[in-house]
Structure formats: C-alpha cells, structure tokens
Amino acid sequence: MGFIKAFTGALGGTFADQWKDFYAPRQGVSGTVGLYPAVPSGTNAGRGENTKGSENIITNGSKIIVPEGTALITIQDGAITGLVAEPGGFIFSSDDPNSQSMFAGNGIFGQTLKQTWERVKFGGQPGSQQLAFYVNLKEIPNNKFGTQSEIYWDDAFFGTQVGAVTRGTYTLKIVDPLLFVKNFVPSKYLQPNAPEFDFADMDNDAGTQLFNEVVGTLSAAFSNYTNDPSKGNRISKIQADQIGFAQAMSQAVEDAYQWKTTRGLEIVKTAILAIEYDEDTKELMKDVKKADALSGSRGNSFMQQAVARGMQSAGENGGGVNMAFMGMGMNVAGGMMGGMQQQPTSSSYQPAFGQQQAVTEQQTPQDPTTKLLEMKKLLDAGAITQEDYDKIKNQLLGL
C-alpha cells in the first residue's frame, strides 16, 4: 500500500495534463492555514466535473497532485499511513508491490522526515479508503504575540533587571509534518469533511495555546537575545534584527515546550511592532546614550575641546583654575595645548622640581574621560563632595 510516483516537479507538464480526474488542494486556502483536506478536481472520465465525491476520501488508483510548499499525509483510523513531501503527481495504490508509503525528497528535510516516519508509521494493513490532507510547509505569517503588563529579565549589558511591554508578530513554519499531525493537530481536524486548521482562527484552541506559550516565554526570549554576546548584548537592536530575535524566541519556546522536537514547529522571523520600556529601564538607556556619546575618539575630541574652552574662559575671567582642576587638568592641558608652550632645550637648563613635574605631566597627557571617571570614584567613596565634583566636571566640559 502506498503511492507510485508518476511525475515530479512542475505540474504543467505533458503527463500531468493527461490527468482529468485527480485530487488537489482546495482553492482559496488562506496563507495562515496549517492543514486542509484534499478534494476531487477536474472531470470524471468525461462525464462531467468530479466535484461531488466524498471529501477526504481516496480510493485505490486515485491520482493526487502535491504542489510546491505542501506535504500530503494519508490517515486511516487515526493512524498515519502515507506521506508525500516532494512536489509532483502520484497514484495511490493499495495492492501494487512497487508502491511506497513515503516520498520525502532529498536533503536534510527529507532525511528528517524519514527518521520520523520510522517512529510513527502505521504497522497494519490499511483498507482501500484513506483520509488525505495537505500540510502547509511554507512560512505561515501573522501569528501575534503581546503582553498587557511588563515582562522582566536580567540584562547582561546593564547588569541589572529591565522590563518592557511589547507586541508584534512572527512567522511560523511546519518543519516536520508528521510530528505536527500526530502530536499537535486536534482530532476534529482529521475527520471526513473536517474544517481547515487555521492558526489565525480565534476558535482554534491549538492556535490559542501557541499564542499563550509564546507570551509565556517572551521574558526568556529577551534574555536569550540580550545575553548573547554575538548579538551585541543590546536591547536597542532587537526591533531591527527580526531573524536574530526570532532565533532567541524559537529557542525559548523549544526549551519550555519542545515545539520543534515534539510538534514539528519552528519560529522563523519576528516583527516587533511596539516596545515600551518601564521608567527605570528608560533611565538606564539614557545613561548608556550619554556614555556612548562620550566614548571612543569622538568622546575624547569632545572632552578635549570642552577642557580647552574651560581653560580659555578661566583665563579670560582672570581667575585661573582651582587646585582640583590643577590636579587633574594639567595632564589634559598638556595634551590639548599640543606643545604650544615649549621648555628650553639647552643642556644647561635644569628646571626646578615643581617645574619638572609639570613638564613630565605635559609630556604624558591623560585621557580626560578617564580622569573624570576617577573623580567619580572619589565622589562615590566620599573623598570629595558633590559640589567639588560638579565644579571639576563643569570646568572640564567648559560649562
């Protein structure tokens, strides 16, 4: 019992055109449908259109079309009796010794299905009538997720817990139709004249369950993404990285509910439509923005210009710089002035101790950003007051 391959590939070939009676997918099936019945198509041996036969029932000798992006599964008494997961035309036969129960094509997908088939195949002798269903192997869009209140996760970049409210959509793919039908599709969709299994149907309890499971693992999905060094550990990148976040979400639902290994389902892409961080997280992100603006060569250039303006302003006011600024600013000034004040180079010139120290500091300028961070540490340790720190910072920044 099984199928005999008549032709493969495109369905518009000469051999396919000779078929007047055959089973095919129902017309107008939505892109969000995961499983739907095979129905009679064409004409019945020249006696008119073959559209009055019993849906989901195929008999010995029936011809079946399997389009690109679909798999055909036959079922009897709740057991899977056949699988075709490669495009082409096939003849259903219950008595031909050359017939096969499974056609899965080549490649990794085919090998995966062959392994699954060995675990779930029907071991008895089925009769001549079978139920036939198509499984959608294309990406299934517009699966929604969202939260009504904040979700929280530990963020590696911030080093603390952050939270957000979010909503979006994801595309789903059935990567193993055998597992999908055997372990996930409710029995009411596997009966004669059964309705379509539509993931977008609000009355589809199985689809609703998937929604709830995704929402329940969103916290883990965000954690997977932001704590992955290869993703840069930045939550600000999530909305633009639809595949990277989809991988994090897919891993989260796999860890919690084994979507791929037990149901044959996988999340492929995501689109985050909105994400609103809580107030504490917003403040953290503001601090990161400021730190990013003052980091690297751009930050060094900004700080040096700010220090130069501060020194110029102090000179114009006739007050010079205070002792705290002298302690941390001479290094900066030395780097900023770029050798504008040259010391005598005569071998007979011997600077006093204080002068020699200033010359040494001028020759080895210290990064102003580093110096400002050192002052912050002194402030945190209580060695200087907030007023002293603000004054030093303003002078460095030329404010």
Side-chain angles (χ1 to χ4, degrees):
M1 187 287 303
F3 298 94
I4 300 173
K5 185 186 297 185
F7 64 90
T8 59
L11 303 181
T14 303
F15 194 91
D17 292 339
Q18 295 175 7
W19 283 5
K20 302 302 180 183
D21 301 303
F22 58 91
Y23 283 79
R26 177 182 294 159
Q27 296 295 317
V29 175
S30 168
T32 59
V33 170
L35 180 136
Y36 49 97
V39 296
S41 302
T43 59
N44 186 7
R47 294 189 296 272
E49 293 186 358
N50 180 17
T51 58
K52 304 300 183 182
S54 299
E55 293 186 2
N56 298 42
I57 302 297
I58 59 175
T59 56
N60 192 33
S62 295
K63 302 176 180 65
I64 297 179
I65 296 291
V66 181
E68 290 277 2
T70 62
L72 179 85
I73 286 182
T74 57
I75 295 177
Q76 179 178 344
D77 300 329
I80 296 174
T81 58
L83 166 72
V84 179
E86 57 179 287
F90 298 83
I91 300 174
F92 179 76
S93 175
S94 63
D95 51 11
D96 192 319
N98 296 317
S99 64
Q100 300 179 43
S101 295
M102 191 188 82
F103 289 90
N106 298 319
I108 298 177
F109 182 74
Q111 291 301 318
T112 299
L113 288 182
K114 290 174 184 176
Q115 293 174 7
T116 306
W117 172 256
E118 291 302 317
R119 299 197 303 268
V120 305
K121 64 182 180 181
F122 182 65
Q125 283 293 326
S128 61
Q129 291 187 325
Q130 305 281 323
L131 304 180
F133 300 91
Y134 288 102
V135 179
N136 185 2
L137 301 183
K138 299 178 181 179
E139 286 188 33
I140 300 172
N142 203 33
N143 299 280
K144 295 178 174 59
F145 66 85
T147 60
Q148 294 182 342
S149 58
E150 287 87 357
I151 56 172
Y152 293 93
W153 68 94
D154 292 329
D155 191 280
F157 182 77
F158 290 117
T160 188
Q161 190 178 73
V162 296
V165 175
T166 185
R167 63 183 176 86
T169 62
Y170 63 90
T171 64
L172 184 67
K173 194 168 186 180
I174 300 170
V175 294
D176 193 321
L178 292 172
L179 291 178
F180 173 67
V181 171
K182 181 177 176 62
N183 296 337
F184 188 67
V185 177
S187 59
K188 74 174 185 178
Y189 297 99
L190 303 174
Q191 303 293 331
N193 304 310
E196 298 171 350
F197 180 95
D198 192 340
F199 285 97
D201 185 359
M202 298 300 294
D203 295 326
N204 185 344
D205 293 337
T208 302
Q209 178 65 25
L210 293 182
F211 172 85
N212 293 335
E213 290 177 0
V214 168
V215 171
T217 55
L218 277 176
S219 176
F222 275 90
S223 180
N224 287 346
Y225 188 92
T226 59
N227 292 305
D228 183 353
S230 68
K231 302 294 190 300
N233 297 129
R234 304 295 287 269
I235 57 178
S236 57
K237 294 182 178 180
I238 289 179
Q239 285 180 275
D241 189 5
Q242 61 172 341
I243 298 206
F245 184 63
Q247 293 170 344
M249 184 183 289
S250 183
Q251 185 60 50
V253 297
E254 178 65 17
D255 291 342
Y257 300 104
Q258 294 77 52
W259 275 27
K260 187 174 182 179
T261 53
T262 64
R263 298 172 176 172
L265 297 171
E266 187 173 34
I267 293 174
V268 182
K269 296 184 182 70
T270 58
I272 296 181
L273 304 179
I275 182 168
E276 180 69 23
Y277 299 103
D278 67 6
E279 293 303 320
D280 291 341
T281 304
K282 288 179 181 178
E283 292 301 318
L284 287 172
M285 296 179 75
K286 287 181 182 178
D287 292 340
V288 169
K289 271 186 171 182
K290 294 175 184 177
D292 287 346
L294 296 176
S295 66
S297 59
R298 179 186 298 177
N300 290 340
S301 175
F302 171 78
M303 289 291 290
Q304 290 169 357
Q305 292 176 25
V307 169
R309 289 194 299 269
M311 293 178 64
Q312 180 180 3
S313 175
E316 291 174 351
N317 293 333
V321 292
N322 60 22
M323 291 302 295
F325 184 73
M326 287 290 291
M328 61 181 293
M330 285 301 295
N331 297 336
V332 178
M336 289 300 302
M337 301 308 292
M340 290 176 60
Q341 297 179 352
Q342 300 291 332
Q343 297 292 345
T345 57
S346 170
S347 60
S348 61
Y349 175 75
Q350 296 292 332
F353 173 77
Q355 293 174 319
Q356 184 174 4
Q357 183 180 23
V359 170
T360 301
E361 289 182 352
Q362 276 188 322
Q363 293 172 345
T364 58
Q366 187 173 6
D367 176 36
T369 304
T370 303
K371 201 66 179 178
L372 190 59
L373 291 174
E374 292 175 356
M375 292 300 102
K376 183 63 168 63
K377 291 180 180 178
L378 292 176
L379 172 64
D380 294 338
I384 62 175
T385 65
Q386 181 67 47
E387 182 179 357
D388 292 334
Y389 175 79
D390 292 339
K391 189 173 183 180
I392 294 169
K393 181 178 72 172
N394 291 338
Q395 289 172 326
L396 279 174
L397 299 177
L399 301 177

